[in-house]
Amino acid sequence: DLTHNRREFDVAGVHVAAPFASFAGSTDNAIALATALRTGTAASLTSTTTDVDGNAVTTTTTITPPTKPMGWGNVSYALELAQHALRIAGISSPSHADLVAALVGGRVVAVDGTPWNLVGVLRQRAAGMAWAVIARSYGTTLAAFTRSHATPDAAPTLATSASAIRRETGRPAAAPRAGDVRTASTPATV
């Protein structure tokens, strides 16, 4: 029956989303992201901060995936790789803008102040790239991830800042051609 199927869908969504609660800013945001990727619909993410007068200010950001609906395994890959992209820049508690950049493309500022342009894992997937190719574009492999999060063995490939990537490769990443989704992240030109 429809109610039973909906309950199974909800349980699966919570299971896939749970490891990404801190990454997304809350459990509700992680569930919204996972559900949006699963269904191919927009996700509304909310955060609440306090203004200078002590009043709560709620901000809502909408992320619309450029991909078709995905299976739960693909949802997990997308969130793992987006989280990895932000870890490369040393961002462990991303803003909504950082999440948008990691998922659909945009600019983030690394811990060391270096601005980086991210193509976005969903944009790469929508362009037809396989998950293994997307993972390689971020300097990792799918084997570095378990079902729900990066394994401790993956730690050497998880750079802590954008400058660490340049040190590891010995050179900065080349600037991508317009529309090129093969290069996951490049230093932004100021």
Side-chain angles (χ1 to χ4, degrees):
D1 81 8
L2 192 56
T3 304
H4 177 72
N5 289 343
R6 176 66 187 170
R7 196 170 329 133
E8 285 181 11
F9 182 86
D10 291 343
V11 169
V14 169
H15 178 74
V16 169
F20 304 103
S22 64
F23 167 68
S26 72
T27 299
D28 288 343
N29 283 349
I31 292 169
L33 274 174
T35 302
L37 296 179
R38 175 73 172 135
T39 60
T41 58
S44 292
L45 310 180
T46 59
S47 66
T48 304
T49 57
T50 305
D51 67 14
V52 294
D53 297 324
N55 299 314
V57 177
T58 300
T59 304
T60 301
T61 302
T62 301
I63 298 176
T64 304
T67 53
K68 295 177 184 175
M70 300 179 178
W72 288 121
N74 289 330
V75 169
S76 187
Y77 283 148
L79 295 174
E80 287 168 341
L81 289 167
Q83 185 173 36
H84 178 77
L86 292 172
R87 282 184 185 154
I88 289 171
I91 300 170
S92 59
S93 297
S95 67
H96 289 178
D98 294 333
L99 289 172
V100 170
L103 289 166
V104 296
R107 180 181 275 200
V108 297
V109 178
V111 173
D112 66 2
T114 303
W116 282 75
N117 291 323
L118 299 178
V119 171
V121 299
L122 297 178
R123 182 172 165 220
Q124 290 173 295
R125 186 66 175 176
M129 292 177 71
W131 289 119
V133 174
I134 296 169
R136 277 195 305 275
S137 76
Y138 286 94
T140 191
T141 65
L142 290 182
F145 298 100
T146 64
R147 183 162 189 242
S148 61
H149 53 81
T151 63
D153 293 341
T157 66
L158 298 176
T160 57
S161 72
S163 61
I165 298 284
R166 289 195 299 273
R167 282 194 305 272
E168 289 173 8
T169 63
R171 59 186 170 13
R177 295 183 303 273
D180 190 354
V181 296
R182 292 172 297 164
T183 305
S185 59
T186 59
T189 54
V190 183

